[in-house]
Amino acid sequence: MAKSSSLNVRVVEGRALPAKDVSGSSDPYCIVKVDDEVVARTATIWRSLSPFWGEEYTVHLPLDFHHLAFYVLDEDTVGHDDIIGKISLSREAIVADPRGIDSWINLNRVDPDAEVQGEICLSVQMLKEVRGCCLRCHVLQARDLAPRDISGTSDPFARVFWGSQSLETSTIKKTRFPHWDEVLELWELPGGPSPLRVELWDWDLVGKNDFLGMVEFPPQVLQQNPPNGWFRLLPFPRAEEDSGGNLGALRLTVRLTEDRVLPSQYYQPLMKLLMESVLGPAEEDAASPLAVLEELTLGDCRQDLATKLVKLFLGQGQASPLLDYLTRREVTRTTNPNTLFRSNSLASKSMEQFMKLVGMPYLHEVLKPVINRVFEEKKYIELDPCKMDLGRTRRISFKGTPSEDNLREASLGLLTGYLGPIVDAIVGSVGRCPPTMRLAFKQLHQCVEEHFPQAEHKDVKYLAISGFLFLRFFAPAILTPKLFDLRDQHADPQTSRSLLLLAKAVQSIGNLGQQLGQGKELWMAPLHPFLLQSISLVRDFLDQLVDVNGEEEAGGPARAVVPPSVTVREGYLLKRKEEPASLATRFAFKKRYFWLNGETLSYSKSPEWQTCSSIPVSHIRAVERVDEGAFQLPHVMQVVSQEGAGALHTTYLQCKNVNDLNQWLSALRKASAPNPDKLAACHSGAFRSSRWTCCLQADRSAAGCSRTHSAVTLGDWSDPLDPDAETQMVYRQLLLGRNQLRMKFLEDSNTDTSLAADAGKGPSTTKGACPDALVRQREAAAHLLEVLADLDRAHEEFQQQEQGKVAPGPLGP
């Protein structure tokens, strides 16, 4: 039974940060670490003591993690960045509240002795001899130790304590992966039983040694189950000092979603029920899993559920029937066409998530050229008189007296200069829109037209589609390009204002001009002629968009939401030349343009050149970070590949920053997720000067010294499909409504109560229903409850099996 974990983190803002610069301010940014692995870096907010980031990340974790840490630093152009403070959250603190953490938390001082990482491998024996009891501690090796020296390495040695005795191993110079293979023997002295403590230290020629971590085992563990294996290093136990807010605070949102996923066969009955739900009449359905889910889920759970449902049905080739089912239920309950799909219903959220999952490459192709122009040109644009900066007008106008009219005219020209290409790209993109999206829009168009056939509602069928495509897809992507992977960083305030005006204009076009001239934003009036001209083009575009023949191809379980040939990531990287003879490190890396899709990682000198080489994704065995000390360069990763039974080949690539590194690591790991024979360990350094820079071994074919992290990825639209995990999440949601379902259909046949408090949006589905329909609903409810009970029993059995395998052992992971 596998374990599925997702960590949702949002770094919202900071307040009352201390000034680190001579100007009396700071340039703060935040680094997010999961178990000492950097997973994200926020943008730098220049000259601010109360920065707003608003950045959100999802990290997929296959195994239990131990702690989450946030470091706030002040960026300096010259020298090292200054550390302002940190927040450390244990896994226990995060899961204590099922809703997660959403609060302001004070920053604390960074204690070097608490900054420990890595693991140590030990084998301990308790021997009874004539002289007494002997403890034999075999210190084999350690890995991923914290770098304490300026070179990015350490000089580690181990010190073993038992009672009042202590012994030390030898010191291994310049490595974070020491191999000792030394046996230390300590004899029991008179007195009570003592714990065993093993400490790791970094030896320094000048000054005191630096602490690297420790492990401790109580006497009962030494007697019953002596330690044997890898153990996580811990800091010295001490109470964390609260800075009292002197270092400022961060507002954070953290939520951990964990579940145990059963083997596939256990989910087949529930999956069959879900697939059958969309085949029946949507309007009368009250007891199918989808009907129950629709009435039970609220808020954030509804968006998560919508994502899981869409991915589950996509993998079965049934996304269009799902969306048709949900939209028909929504349309049937809607009496006022002006409110159609305006709420965050399960239908609205499912269509929204469907567009993100299927249409992201399409969105990038349509919007990215203009978005890049806006970021690069950094023009000042403003139409609102209350927000105009006439100081900028003087720099814009060189004739006559600076005025609002000059700025308005210049801004209008710039806005239409950006909007024109956007509208042209959208209306000319019919052939590039994914067929599954076009089919979903066609079904939506037909459903709305059938329900609102009156002449006064002739625009509703257009508004239903444009409300999703323009208001929930194109406009949000223009407003916040980073959230849609259109840019690596958030926009500065000036560019953000330009994007906001562009997004407002696109929203007005998506509303087909129905609200032009209304509301408080009358200052948008100079743009109305352009918008009205664009609306007729959009109507024609929507007509062409739904003019599609054929049905969505049904298929078996898939692993990706995009075809293997579609590029999921591209950009410039620095690639290390193959086996450079005697080149200096900086000359050994050459700039190349890379493309990644589900089949190959390809590169050439520039985007226009023909591909000069590629690595098949099916050959990738590991994708990992490389220590800075390997090449004296930051942000380097390695792609370890193997063709058949041949030798392993490593390609070293340098990214432009830590976020670029994390995104490439995540994309490559997802693409290679189904590959067999993945490496459990690899070298975090490079083989240079006849030895590995990480563990100092001279054998090039030596086993890897560092664990791989193949399943640690960032969540985004390109996540592989996982039908078992998705069905497990649906099962958990259905459990919340099991009692209501039983009461409604089985325990009281005369009840007209709803499944949930918010189910009163429409007439009761059981009230006034014919007896035959009620019988079918009760049979469906009974079948669903039986399937849920079977899954309950399966979870209990697997949990009992796991508990039976766990025996009392040493402290550690």
Side-chain angles (χ1 to χ4, degrees), residues 27 31 39 42 64 168 182 199 212 240 331 357 485 551 560 571 574 583 621 645 665 682 708 725 768 800 805:
D27 306 312
I31 286 178
V39 296
T42 68
D64 288 342
E168 294 181 1
E182 298 183 22
E199 299 175 0
L212 292 173
E240 189 171 276
V331 170
L357 289 167
D485 291 332
E551 297 294 330
L574 297 179
L583 292 175
R621 297 292 174 260
L665 285 170
C682 70
T708 56
Q800 291 172 0
K805 293 178 182 178

Side-chain angles (χ1 to χ4, degrees), residues 495-641:
T495 305
S496 292
R497 181 62 181 171
S498 301
L499 295 173
L500 175 61
L501 294 173
L502 288 171
K504 285 178 178 293
V506 170
Q507 282 183 328
S508 297
I509 294 172
N511 282 322
L512 303 183
Q514 287 194 347
Q515 299 176 358
L516 287 182
Q518 304 176 19
K520 301 178 180 179
E521 297 177 346
L522 299 179
W523 44 266
M524 290 283 286
L527 200 58
H528 289 177
F530 178 88
L531 299 180
L532 291 172
Q533 182 182 357
S534 302
I535 288 168
S536 61
L537 298 175
V538 169
R539 287 179 189 272
D540 294 338
F541 162 70
L542 295 176
D543 282 331
Q544 297 174 44
L545 196 66
V546 299
D547 185 15
V548 57
N549 295 320
E551 297 294 330
E552 183 179 15
E553 293 183 4
R559 73 173 182 89
V561 296
V562 292
S565 59
V566 173
T567 299
V568 295
R569 187 158 186 83
E570 59 183 299
Y572 279 105
L573 298 172
L574 297 179
K575 177 183 177 295
R576 186 176 186 242
K577 293 184 68 174
E578 303 296 332
E579 298 297 333
S582 58
L583 292 175
T585 300
R586 61 187 179 134
F587 297 116
F589 282 80
K590 296 296 183 182
K591 191 175 183 179
R592 296 291 183 265
Y593 196 86
F594 281 78
W595 296 267
L596 172 66
N597 58 35
E599 298 172 339
T600 59
L601 173 65
S602 310
Y603 62 90
S604 65
K605 284 190 175 181
S606 69
E608 295 78 23
W609 282 53
Q610 292 184 346
T611 300
C612 61
S613 188
S614 64
I615 301 172
V617 167
S618 59
H619 292 177
I620 294 177
R621 297 292 174 260
V623 184
E624 295 296 321
R625 301 170 188 269
V626 176
D627 291 339
E628 286 193 22
F631 302 108
Q632 302 303 315
L633 293 171
H635 317 312
V636 177
M637 67 176 177
Q638 56 180 315
V639 180
V640 183
S641 58

Side-chain angles (χ1 to χ4, degrees), residues 139-403:
V139 184
L140 288 94
Q141 57 182 310
R143 61 189 177 194
D144 294 310
L145 300 181
R148 294 300 194 204
D149 299 336
I150 196 171
S151 62
T153 62
S154 291
D155 305 318
F157 68 92
R159 185 178 291 156
V160 179
F161 294 87
W162 192 42
S164 60
Q165 306 172 79
S166 67
L167 292 174
E168 294 181 1
T169 66
S170 58
T171 300
I172 311 294
K173 297 291 188 67
K174 299 185 184 305
T175 181
R176 296 173 49 240
F177 300 85
H179 285 251
W180 290 288
D181 197 15
E182 298 183 22
V183 176
L184 306 179
E185 292 187 351
L186 299 96
W187 293 88
E188 185 178 36
L189 297 177
S194 301
L196 170 67
R197 188 172 77 252
V198 181
E199 299 175 0
L200 295 189
W201 293 82
D202 166 52
W203 178 84
D204 285 330
L205 180 63
V206 179
K208 66 175 185 178
N209 298 331
D210 299 312
F211 180 66
L212 292 173
M214 59 159 281
V215 290
E216 188 170 36
F217 306 93
Q220 59 268 30
V221 169
L222 297 177
Q223 296 292 336
Q224 298 172 8
N225 192 8
N228 185 13
W230 286 96
F231 303 94
R232 187 171 67 95
L233 294 172
L234 302 172
F236 278 126
R238 64 180 68 184
E240 189 171 276
E241 298 179 6
D242 191 341
S243 64
N246 294 330
L247 297 178
L250 292 184
R251 184 182 167 202
L252 302 171
T253 301
V254 181
R255 182 164 55 94
L256 177 65
T257 304
E258 281 191 322
D259 219 336
R260 296 187 179 275
V261 181
L262 300 171
S264 298
Q265 64 267 24
Y266 290 92
Y267 295 110
Q268 293 307 310
L270 178 56
M271 190 177 294
K272 183 180 178 182
L273 275 183
L274 288 167
M275 298 302 151
E276 291 174 349
S277 296
V278 301
L279 302 178
E283 298 81 2
E284 301 176 4
D285 188 11
S288 76
L290 287 177
V292 174
L293 289 168
E294 184 181 28
E295 300 207 23
L296 283 173
T297 52
L298 298 170
D300 292 340
C301 290
R302 180 169 285 171
Q303 177 162 320
D304 293 342
L305 175 64
T307 304
K308 298 296 185 183
L309 282 175
V310 170
K311 294 180 74 172
L312 180 61
F313 278 78
L314 268 173
Q316 302 300 315
Q318 297 293 317
S320 289
L322 168 70
L323 296 172
D324 187 47
Y325 170 90
L326 293 174
T327 53
R328 285 187 179 278
R329 288 178 64 85
E330 178 91 358
V331 170
T332 301
R333 291 194 296 260
T334 303
T335 55
N336 182 0
N338 294 322
T339 63
L340 185 62
F341 300 121
R342 295 297 179 175
S343 65
N344 288 324
S345 63
L346 185 60
S348 298
K349 284 295 182 183
S350 295
M351 182 67 82
E352 184 178 332
Q353 296 306 310
F354 169 74
M355 291 189 297
K356 289 181 181 179
L357 289 167
V358 173
M360 200 65 80
Y362 164 65
L363 177 83
H364 283 207
E365 192 174 356
V366 171
L367 293 183
K368 198 164 189 175
V370 180
I371 296 297
N372 287 341
R373 269 187 57 204
V374 176
F375 272 78
E376 292 161 4
E377 294 176 1
K378 296 185 181 296
K379 299 292 187 180
Y380 179 74
I381 302 175
E382 187 54 74
L383 294 179
D384 186 354
C386 299
K387 296 182 181 293
M388 285 185 179
D389 182 356
L390 294 182
R392 292 181 178 273
T393 308
R394 296 189 182 94
R395 295 191 289 274
I396 295 171
S397 176
F398 297 97
K399 296 180 181 180
T401 305
S403 66

Side-chain angles (χ1 to χ4, degrees), residues 67-89:
H67 68 275
L68 172 69
F70 301 85
Y71 294 80
V72 179
L73 295 93
D74 166 58
E75 183 167 339
D76 290 329
T77 306
V78 179
H80 293 288
D81 296 346
D82 301 316
I83 298 177
I84 294 176
K86 70 172 283 192
I87 293 170
S88 185
L89 300 173

Side-chain angles (χ1 to χ4, degrees), residues 110-135:
V110 175
D111 181 3
D113 286 345
E115 299 298 297
V116 303
Q117 67 182 62
E119 299 170 302
I120 185 170
C121 186
L122 301 171
S123 178
V124 177
Q125 292 178 297
M126 299 294 293
L127 304 176
K128 298 288 186 179
E129 299 188 5
V130 178
R131 293 174 51 190
C133 183
C134 174
L135 184 146

Side-chain angles (χ1 to χ4, degrees), residues 630-676:
F631 302 108
Q632 302 303 315
L633 293 171
H635 317 312
V636 177
M637 67 176 177
Q638 56 180 315
V639 180
V640 183
S641 58
Q642 183 181 32
E643 184 175 0
L648 293 175
H649 177 80
T650 304
T651 302
Y652 295 100
L653 305 170
Q654 186 185 19
C655 304
K656 58 186 177 183
N657 54 48
V658 67
N659 280 344
D660 194 40
L661 171 63
N662 285 328
Q663 288 159 3
W664 273 105
L665 285 170
S666 181
L668 284 162
R669 287 170 180 170
K670 289 177 187 176
S672 59
N675 293 354

